[in-house]
């Protein structure tokens, strides 16, 4: 049973908490903090409490004179200073002797958290009392980034904190830099989820995020002479000041075991391996609002009783800790390698843990809020569950299991509730992301869920048969093969009968002919050499045919290959939910017309588009203060932070010389910061007056970092063929910056990382080229690095193979920060180009509708590569960039067929268009007035891509939730 039930668990909601940011305190506070030496002194900093037996220790945040409303107290630097001192003294995680940067960060963060906690509890106190419908966002990733500056920015306390820390001998920016990025995600999937939480809180929507508390994250990336090296993240090594462990909120999770039928006829899942999931909550504050929502992260463990003390004392230490180790490792790593059977099991355990713990928590909340009158048919009117990609698919059978097995609902009732509650966001068309799990593995790990999935699949089969009938059996069979949840399974017996072919009756007058090892039935054997239109035949005589047959030797038939049975998670998502959405207009069309076309024809009302967005708070307001100040000045208001449509007002000033000068100065100040950062992280020196050309995203062949580096090599080779004067005339100085992680088991992606670093090492040390071209790979790219690079960018590369990127979100962040993009018509690029203007976007490459034909052209051997592309390959093979053998990498771009070859992602096809487009980029950059206008118009046109707009659409069209402003 869950320990997280009963009113006692949520007694903090009933407290008399009030909304505050910080209490402003007078000089007669009962808490006296003094120091024995000047506080700025680096050695032996300490605080002492002047205290008597009759004194009471008061918290400088929550203590206030009388019963007046805390929200009436204006926060100021003095009260914040006291709060930071208080935490340095009374909630220490460091030794007391010094107040250095790490300690200053923790004390500052704890001070902020105090304010958030009161608003946080009060927010849910309102939600509990009103019992409105609430949205729950389940995601395997939440790429939060640093929280300190975002939190105090949302609380509008940046200036006050900066002053308080200055009083204590520190700089806010330096203190904030001590915070490690929370290692809870990797790419756009997790960053989107975090933007959504920010918007949900800012817009006052009742919502909650659910994820896993990964101890070691994905990995920390190091770049060595051998390329990428992975080491464990250490973000939790000294704890997180933001999270609050809820030791009284835990739920049982079961794996393995068996399912049996009880005497009451019910199915029981018994035996197996039992663990528990414990809740860790992180507050998510909204901007200029008191609403503070939760990101609840699950950590896995077992009770102390499961520690085998006898085995430990007998010297069997590993055995003694086995249960705890098996539980804890579920939350060790994001996306553990799944090449092995153990890796697959661990991933499935992660997904089920997220789904089961979250649903048990949601149901517990529903029951508590319902009181004595629980009406399960009202569950979808109080709960909306959004599955962020296919990872939380097990929500569907898990909700069915709980409703049927534990809450005693019948199948039809449970299925109706589940379908009305759950919705699915598709994020990609890549096959590896449309997950398929081994049926055998799932049956072993989750036997009860497999029973439920089998029943859902059988219902689906009958619905398909009912819809399409049995007149055209070939068409029906095709539909069933495509749409079923279970792959490579026999049909249910009731349906299989439709496909039994009747025996062919033979007329009595028909002569039966038996053919043995001699041909006796005819003196001719006729074979068709052409189709029916040709009517051309060849004839063999009986003797010749007999001779041929005699020469044949018996051939043993090869054993039939039995395809593995799979569970298609994406199909289950579509069947089990009431809404399916893509994340960009072009992607949503591909979802409807290609990925799930049969489902779209069956249930067109389920399919929607919700173009992604990013939060303008983190991605302009806080990460780019110089640009934010300019936008506020020229639009005349700060309202654009919440109403991004006001950014469009910049359009009328795009030619204004004063604005252009200010715009360029802001960009240059951001670039100067990046110059220092690159020197510190990579050792490479670059100049701020060069064009900063940036591609930062997960390393994957479809994202085509290979196309980018091939373009750079072509540029470098042409430079080497020119005189110094010709180079200066023909080329704009560029700093080409890459960043992103390759999955540890993705060999080709890791080759690309090494290739980029090898090219950079050669070019950056070439004295003939100097500052005209630099290539820098930034190690361990994360949110904090993005917040530095994106405001400094001139050109950003979004050059995926058309039709393969669902949306992208970094393209939106770059546009917001006035960066001009070069890209294909893929994902949200299409809509960004529409909004910023075609003339302010550098377009190249094949379009999505052309890709299939181009791949066929390649397979047929008709593709002729551009000579410039061949030139680059030969240059690489000449060892121009070192002795490493890149045959496997280059080989993937050659040949006409075979896995891992034939240039599946069309690098060679798009290369000519790409380098010609880059020439247009150089031409535009030379005209700084034109370039600056393009930059301004990119920011002005980016207003559509706020996650606030996206969340409003989800709330209205999918979740049916209403905003509740906390008064």
């Amino acid at each position: 049973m869950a320990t997280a039930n009963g009113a006692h668990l949520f007694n903090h909601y009933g407290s008399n908490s009030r909304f505050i940011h910080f209490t402003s305190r007078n000089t007669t506070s009962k808490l006296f903090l003094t120091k024995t030496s000047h506080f700025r002194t680096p050695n032996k900093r300490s605080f002492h409490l002047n205290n008597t037996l009759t004194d009471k220790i008061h918290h400088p945040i929550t203590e206030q004179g009388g019963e007046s409303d805390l929200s009436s107290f204006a926060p100021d630097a003095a009260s914040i200073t006291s709060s930071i001192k208080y935490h340095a003294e009374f909630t220490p995680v460091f030794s007391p002797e010094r107040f250095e940067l790490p300690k200053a960060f923790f004390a500052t963060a704890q001070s902020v958290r105090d304010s958030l906690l009161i608003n946080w509890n009060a927010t849910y106190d309102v939600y509990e009392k009103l019992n409105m419908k609430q949205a729950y966002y389940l995601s395997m990733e939440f790429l939060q980034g640093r929280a300190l500056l975002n939190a105090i920015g949302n609380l509008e306390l940046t200036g006050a904190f900066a002053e308080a820390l200055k009083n204590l001998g520190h700089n806010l920016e330096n203190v904030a830099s001590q915070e490690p990025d929370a290692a809870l995600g990797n790419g756009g999937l997790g960053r989107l989820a975090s933007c959504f939480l920010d918007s949900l809180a800012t817009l006052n929507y009742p919502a909650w995020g659910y994820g896993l508390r990964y101890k070691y994250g994905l990995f920390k990336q190091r770049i060595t002479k051998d390329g990428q090296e992975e080491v464990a993240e250490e973000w939790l090594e000294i704890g997180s000041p933001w999270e609050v462990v809820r030791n009284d909120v835990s739920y049982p999770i079961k794996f393995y075991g068996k399912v049996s039928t009880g005497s009451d006829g019910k199915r029981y899942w018994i035996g197996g391996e039992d663990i528990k999931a414990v809740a860790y909550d992180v507050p998510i504050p909204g901007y200029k609002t008191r609403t503070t929502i939760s990101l609840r992260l699950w950590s896995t463990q077992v009770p102390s009783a499961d520690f085998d003390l006898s085995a430990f004392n007998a010297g069997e230490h590993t055995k003694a800790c086995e249960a705890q180790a098996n539980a804890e490792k579920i939350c060790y790593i994001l996306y553990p390698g799944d090449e092995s059977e153990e890796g697959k099991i661990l991933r499935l355990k992660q997904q089920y843990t997220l789904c089961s713990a979250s649903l048990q928590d949601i149901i517990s909340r529903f029951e508590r809020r319902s009181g004595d009158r629980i009406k399960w048919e009202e569950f979808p009117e109080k709960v909306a569950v959004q599955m962020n990609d296919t990872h939380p698919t097990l929500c569907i059978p898990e909700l069915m299991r709980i409703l049927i097995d534990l809450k005693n609902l019948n199948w039809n009732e449970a299925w109706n509730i589940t379908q009305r509650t759950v919705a699915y966001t598709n994020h990609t068309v890549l096959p590896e992301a449309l997950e398929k799990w081994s049926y055998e593995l799932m049956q072993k790990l989750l036997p009860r869920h497999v029973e439920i999935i089998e029943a859902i699949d059988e219902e689906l089969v009958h619905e398909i048969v009912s819809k399409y009938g049995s007149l055209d059996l070939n068409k029906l069979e095709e539909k069933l093969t495509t749409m079923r949840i279970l792959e490579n399974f026999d049909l249910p017996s009731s349906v299989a009968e439709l496909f039994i072919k009747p025996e062919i009756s033979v007329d009595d007058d028909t002569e039966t002919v038996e053919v043995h090892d001699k041909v006796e039935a005819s003196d001719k054997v006729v074979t068709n050499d052409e189709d029916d239109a040709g009517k051309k035949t060849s004839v063999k005589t009986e003797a010749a045919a007999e001779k041929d047959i005699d020469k044949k030797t018996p051939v043993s038939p090869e054993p039939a290959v039995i395809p593995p049975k799979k569970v298609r998670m994406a199909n289950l998502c579509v069947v089990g939910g009431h809404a399916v959405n893509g994340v960009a207009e072009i992607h949503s069309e591909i979802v409807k017309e290609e990925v799930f076309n049969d489902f779209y024809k069956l249930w067109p009302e389920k399919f929607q588009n919700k173009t992604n967005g990013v939060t303008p708070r983190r991605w302009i307001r806080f990460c780019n203060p110089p640009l934010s100040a300019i936008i506020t000045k020229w639009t005349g208001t700060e309202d654009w932070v919440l109403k991004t449509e006001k950014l469009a007002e910049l359009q009328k000033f795009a030619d204004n010389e004063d604005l252009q000068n200010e715009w360029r100065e802001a960009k240059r100040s951001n670039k100067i910061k990046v110059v220092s950062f690159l020197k510190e992280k990579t050792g490479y020196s670059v100049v701020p007056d060069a064009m900063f050309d940036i591609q930062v995203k997960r390393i994957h062949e479809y994202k085509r970092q290979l196309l980018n580096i091939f373009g750079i090599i072509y540029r470098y080779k042409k430079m080497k063929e020119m005189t110094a004067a010709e180079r200066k005339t023909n080329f704009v100085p560029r700093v080409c910056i890459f960043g992103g992680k390759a999955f540890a088991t993705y060999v080709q992606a890791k080759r690309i990382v090494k290739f980029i670093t090898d090219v950079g090492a050669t070019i950056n040390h070439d004295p003939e080229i100097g500052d005209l071209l630099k290539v820098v790979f930034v190690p361990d790219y994360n949110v904090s690095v993005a917040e530095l690079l994106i405001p400094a960018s001139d050109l950003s590369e979004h050059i995926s193979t058309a039709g393969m990127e669902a949306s992208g979100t970094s393209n939106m962040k770059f546009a917001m920060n006035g960066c001009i993009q070069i890209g294909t018509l893929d994902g949200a690029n299409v809509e960004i180009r529409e909004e910023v203007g075609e003339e302010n976007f550098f377009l190249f490459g094949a379009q999505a509708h052309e890709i299939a034909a181009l791949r066929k052209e390649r397979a047929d051997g008709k593709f002729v590569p551009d000579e410039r592309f061949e030139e680059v390959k030969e240059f690489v093979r000449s060892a121009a960039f070192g002795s490493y053998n890149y045959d496997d990498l280059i080989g993937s771009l050659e040949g006409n067929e075979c896995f891992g070859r034939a240039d599946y992602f069309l690098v060679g096809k798009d290369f000519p268009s790409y380098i010609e487009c880059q020439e247009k980029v150089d031409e535009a950059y030379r005209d700084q007035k034109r370039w600056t206008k393009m930059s301004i118009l990119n920011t002005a046109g980016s207003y559509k891509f706020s996650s606030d707009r996206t969340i409003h659409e989800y709330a209205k069209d999918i979740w049916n939730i209403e905003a509740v402003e906390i008064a």
Side-chain angles (χ1 to χ4, degrees):
M1 292 291 294
T3 60
N5 51 23
H8 69 280
L9 179 59
F10 290 86
N11 55 16
H12 62 280
Y13 291 123
S15 66
N16 294 318
S17 55
R18 296 182 177 90
F19 304 117
I20 65 165
H21 296 311
F22 276 92
T23 54
S24 177
R25 306 192 66 239
N26 58 38
T27 56
T28 61
S29 168
K30 299 176 183 177
L31 181 67
F32 299 90
L33 294 165
T34 61
K35 47 188 187 296
T36 55
S37 60
H38 195 281
F39 200 60
R40 296 173 186 269
T41 305
N43 295 319
K44 296 186 178 179
R45 294 171 177 162
S46 61
F47 305 110
H48 294 279
L49 200 66
N50 290 338
N51 186 354
T52 69
L53 292 175
T54 59
D55 283 338
K56 294 181 180 179
I57 297 175
H58 296 274
H59 191 293
I61 294 295
T62 57
E63 183 275 333
Q64 43 100 16
E67 294 299 323
S68 59
D69 186 353
L70 294 177
S71 64
S72 65
F73 286 78
D76 59 20
S79 63
I80 293 171
T81 301
S82 294
S83 176
I84 294 172
K85 287 180 177 180
Y86 176 90
H87 282 292
E89 185 79 15
F90 293 107
T91 52
V93 289
F94 296 91
S95 59
E97 288 82 12
R98 294 181 176 87
F99 188 70
E100 294 178 335
L101 280 171
K103 185 173 182 177
F105 161 68
F106 260 80
T108 303
Q110 288 161 337
S111 174
V112 176
R113 195 185 73 173
D114 290 339
S115 179
L116 297 180
L117 274 168
I118 295 172
N119 287 350
W120 194 11
N121 290 344
T123 299
Y124 280 94
D125 189 28
V126 172
Y127 292 173
E128 287 284 303
K129 289 173 182 176
L130 294 181
N131 191 20
M132 76 286 285
K133 186 173 185 180
Q134 191 165 330
Y136 300 96
Y137 198 83
L138 272 65
S139 178
M140 288 297 285
E141 295 187 43
F142 286 92
L143 198 57
Q144 291 289 96
R146 291 170 175 161
L148 179 59
L149 292 181
N150 192 75
I152 63 175
N154 279 355
L155 293 169
E156 300 180 88
L157 293 176
T158 303
F161 265 93
E163 185 180 345
L165 285 167
K166 184 178 179 181
N167 293 339
L168 298 174
H170 286 298
N171 172 277
L172 173 59
E173 190 172 325
N174 292 339
V175 170
S177 70
Q178 297 300 302
E179 180 177 7
D181 277 36
L184 299 172
N186 174 47
L189 186 78
R191 188 53 242 164
L192 179 78
S194 296
C195 284
F196 280 4
L197 293 185
D198 177 271
S199 287
L200 284 163
T202 297
L203 300 174
N204 300 305
Y205 282 117
W208 211 321
Y210 282 106
L212 295 182
R213 183 178 179 265
Y214 304 108
K215 185 175 182 180
Y216 301 117
L218 183 70
F219 58 80
K220 177 174 280 191
Q221 181 193 55
R222 292 178 180 166
I223 300 299
T224 70
K225 63 181 179 61
D226 297 317
Q228 173 180 293
E229 177 184 317
E230 304 90 21
V231 295
E233 287 272 13
E234 69 272 11
W235 76 287
L236 284 176
E237 203 158 88
I238 56 174
S240 168
W242 304 109
E243 64 184 17
V244 177
V245 59
R246 308 292 190 189
N247 287 308
D248 54 349
V249 182
S250 65
Y251 297 97
I253 310 293
K254 182 184 287 293
F255 305 110
Y256 303 109
K258 64 180 181 178
V259 182
S260 62
T261 303
S263 57
D264 55 1
K266 291 176 58 177
R267 302 289 284 164
Y268 290 90
W269 183 15
I270 58 176
E273 174 187 317
D274 295 302
I275 66 166
K276 67 177 181 178
V278 179
Y280 284 72
D281 287 355
V282 178
I284 308 294
Y287 178 72
K288 289 190 175 183
T289 178
R290 290 167 176 164
T291 300
T292 304
I293 65 173
S294 280
L295 169 58
R296 175 156 286 182
L297 303 171
W298 300 109
S299 183
T300 45
Q301 55 186 249
V302 293
S304 297
D306 284 4
F307 177 75
D308 191 339
L309 191 60
S310 297
F312 192 85
N313 287 330
E316 298 178 272
H317 301 153
T318 302
K319 180 184 176 183
C321 303
E322 188 174 6
Q324 186 68 26
N326 284 336
E328 289 181 352
K329 72 181 181 182
I330 292 171
C331 291
Y332 273 174
I333 300 291
L334 169 64
Y335 302 139
D338 60 356
E339 299 293 313
S340 66
E341 184 77 359
E342 291 78 8
K344 291 180 175 67
I345 289 171
L346 189 56
R347 280 213 189 187
L348 194 55
K349 280 186 172 183
Q350 287 184 332
Q351 294 185 5
Y352 179 61
T353 298
L354 170 64
C355 296
S356 182
S358 302
L359 284 171
Q360 289 182 71
D361 197 41
I362 291 166
I363 288 170
S364 173
R365 188 172 302 111
F366 170 76
E367 290 178 318
R368 185 183 66 254
R369 290 179 181 179
S370 298
D372 295 332
R373 53 172 299 279
I374 298 174
K375 294 186 177 180
W376 288 105
E377 65 270 19
E378 295 179 357
F379 187 78
E381 296 168 17
K382 298 296 182 181
V383 172
V385 173
Q386 190 69 34
M387 302 183 296
N388 192 29
D389 217 350
T390 53
H391 307 125
T393 306
L394 288 168
C395 280
I396 295 166
E398 174 66 0
L399 183 53
M400 291 289 290
R401 181 189 73 85
I402 294 172
L403 293 176
I404 295 170
D405 295 358
L406 304 182
K407 306 303 176 182
N408 299 314
L409 274 66
N410 65 42
W411 177 273
N412 289 336
E413 291 170 335
W415 184 234
N416 178 268
I417 289 168
T418 299
Q419 285 191 303
R420 291 167 54 210
T421 300
V422 175
Y424 161 54
T425 299
N426 173 275
H427 279 280
T428 182
V429 299
L430 293 178
E432 61 262 32
L434 298 174
E435 292 180 296
K436 295 180 183 181
W437 282 102
S438 160
Y439 172 83
E440 182 182 0
L441 185 151
M442 187 178 285
Q443 189 178 47
K444 179 170 65 174
L445 192 68
L446 303 169
R448 179 60 177 138
H449 297 77
V450 167
E451 288 187 346
I452 292 169
I453 291 169
E454 288 173 339
I456 295 172
D457 181 72
E458 185 167 352
E459 282 208 358
L460 173 64
V461 168
H462 284 107
E463 184 164 356
I464 294 169
V465 172
S466 174
K467 172 72 174 179
Y468 295 104
S470 57
L471 293 179
D472 187 341
L473 290 178
N474 290 331
K475 181 179 179 182
L476 178 60
E477 187 172 21
E478 183 180 315
K479 294 280 186 186
L480 290 168
T481 301
T482 303
M483 299 174 70
R484 288 190 68 183
I485 297 165
L486 300 177
E487 184 177 78
N488 301 321
F489 273 73
D490 293 335
L491 288 166
S493 57
S494 57
V495 176
E497 293 173 357
L498 295 173
F499 296 93
I500 297 175
K501 295 181 181 179
E503 295 182 5
I504 300 174
S505 59
V506 180
D507 294 339
D508 293 339
D509 295 336
T510 304
E511 182 180 359
T512 301
V513 178
E514 294 184 2
V515 181
H516 300 287
D517 59 341
K518 305 276 187 182
V519 179
E520 301 173 353
S522 172
D523 60 351
K524 295 181 180 178
V525 176
V526 180
T527 60
N528 290 331
D529 283 349
E530 294 185 5
D531 59 18
D532 291 342
K535 305 301 181 186
K536 179 180 176 183
T537 62
S538 64
V539 180
K540 290 188 177 182
T541 64
E542 177 183 352
E546 188 174 316
K547 182 177 180 182
D548 286 348
I549 293 173
D550 284 339
K551 288 194 298 183
K552 291 181 179 178
T553 57
V555 178
S556 300
E558 293 187 7
V561 177
I562 301 175
K565 293 180 177 182
K566 300 279 188 180
V567 181
R568 297 164 167 163
M569 306 303 271
N571 287 19
L572 180 55
C573 285
V574 177
V575 175
H578 66 90
V580 179
N581 72 278
V583 290
E585 288 177 1
I586 185 175
H587 170 242
S588 294
E589 288 304 308
I590 292 171
V591 165
K592 291 190 294 187
E593 300 303 323
E594 296 179 24
V595 182
F596 297 126
N597 182 247
D598 288 317
F599 288 109
Y600 174 63
K601 290 176 180 176
L602 184 61
W603 301 308
E605 70 282 357
K606 284 192 179 189
F607 289 81
Q608 304 183 24
N609 174 59
K610 296 287 173 278
T611 297
N612 282 345
V614 299
T615 168
R617 271 75 63 185
R618 183 179 287 270
W619 293 110
I620 311 182
R621 179 67 181 84
F622 302 145
C623 79
N624 198 343
L627 184 62
S628 297
I630 291 170
I631 294 170
T632 298
K633 173 184 174 181
W634 286 84
T635 60
T637 178
E638 271 199 347
D639 290 352
W640 61 268
V641 181
L642 289 169
K643 300 176 180 177
T644 51
E645 60 270 17
K646 291 187 177 294
L647 292 173
E649 294 180 18
L650 292 170
Q651 292 171 354
K652 60 188 177 187
F653 304 115
D655 289 307
N656 186 287
E657 188 173 341
D658 290 337
L659 173 58
Q660 288 201 359
N661 287 336
E662 292 174 20
W663 201 269
R664 282 192 291 267
E665 184 56 38
K667 181 69 72 175
R668 194 174 193 280
S669 68
N670 289 325
K671 291 168 78 171
I672 288 171
K673 291 181 181 178
V674 171
V675 169
S676 299
F677 171 77
L678 294 180
K679 180 67 176 177
E680 177 189 348
K681 295 297 181 181
T682 71
Y684 290 133
S685 298
V686 302
V687 293
D689 295 319
M691 179 200 299
F692 279 20
D693 174 354
I694 300 179
Q695 186 179 19
V696 282
K697 52 186 77 238
R698 178 165 53 94
I699 309 297
H700 197 291
E701 289 168 278
Y702 89 85
K703 294 180 183 288
R704 299 203 296 190
Q705 286 90 352
L706 201 51
L707 175 61
N708 187 351
I709 196 64
F710 264 47
I712 292 168
I713 292 170
Y714 180 77
R715 186 182 189 90
Y716 174 63
K717 187 174 186 297
K718 294 298 114 180
M719 285 181 176
K720 294 292 286 181
E721 294 169 358
M722 297 178 181
T723 65
E726 289 172 332
R727 289 185 204 114
K728 190 173 181 180
T729 302
N730 286 279
F731 294 101
V732 167
R734 285 206 199 196
V735 178
C736 300
I737 300 171
F738 293 83
K741 295 178 180 179
F743 281 119
T745 56
Y746 190 176
V747 175
Q748 194 73 321
K750 294 178 76 170
R751 288 190 185 117
I752 292 170
V753 172
K754 173 158 176 58
F755 185 46
I756 293 168
T757 58
D758 283 352
V759 171
T762 298
I763 293 176
N764 298 344
H765 293 100
D766 191 328
E768 292 183 357
I769 302 303
D771 290 329
L772 203 54
L773 182 62
K774 297 289 185 183
V775 180
V776 183
F777 192 100
V778 178
D780 204 38
Y781 177 70
N782 57 22
V783 175
S784 296
V785 175
E787 290 171 349
L788 195 62
L789 293 181
I790 290 173
S793 59
D794 294 304
L795 180 75
S796 62
E797 311 248 355
H798 304 275
I799 57 177
S800 53
T801 311
M804 301 200 74
E805 184 75 86
S807 170
T809 51
S810 67
N811 45 7
M812 301 170 185
K813 298 164 195 167
F814 280 105
M816 281 184 173
N817 284 272
C819 178
I820 302 157
Q821 301 184 36
I822 181 170
T824 53
L825 283 178
D826 196 24
N829 286 2
V830 177
E831 293 161 77
I832 290 173
R833 183 168 176 262
E834 289 172 356
E835 298 298 329
V836 306
E838 294 179 6
E839 68 280 7
N840 302 309
F841 186 104
F842 294 103
L843 178 67
F844 76 95
Q847 297 186 30
H849 67 273
E850 301 172 318
I851 301 301
L854 290 171
R855 286 179 177 145
K856 185 177 187 306
E857 176 188 65
R858 183 73 181 233
D860 292 342
K862 296 177 181 178
F863 173 69
V864 178
D866 187 271
E867 61 182 18
R868 292 166 292 185
F869 184 64
E870 295 299 295
E871 188 180 333
V872 170
K873 291 194 297 182
E874 289 307 310
F875 190 46
V876 173
R877 284 187 165 123
S878 72
F881 304 104
S883 59
Y884 186 84
N885 186 340
Y886 281 107
D887 284 349
D888 288 331
L889 185 63
I890 304 301
S892 70
L893 307 174
E894 298 177 330
N896 297 325
E897 55 186 355
C898 188
F899 179 76
R901 294 180 63 82
D903 195 11
Y904 183 78
F905 301 100
L906 304 182
V907 175
K909 176 64 182 179
D910 280 350
F911 183 78
S913 176
Y914 177 68
I915 60 173
E916 289 159 12
C917 192
Q918 287 285 14
E919 291 172 3
K920 295 176 184 177
V921 172
D922 274 17
E923 179 186 350
Y925 194 76
R926 288 189 184 96
D927 183 349
Q928 277 294 291
K929 186 173 182 179
R930 175 192 170 193
W931 187 271
T932 306
K933 179 180 179 180
M934 294 171 71
S935 175
I936 293 168
L937 291 174
N938 264 267
T939 297
S942 68
Y943 64 89
K944 171 183 174 180
F945 304 103
S946 166
S947 50
D948 294 353
R949 184 264 314 153
T950 314
I951 285 300
H952 276 313
E953 292 177 2
Y954 274 98
K956 176 178 177 287
D957 300 335
I958 297 179
W959 302 333
N960 192 28
I961 59 173
E962 300 287 341
V964 179
E965 190 168 348
I966 310 297

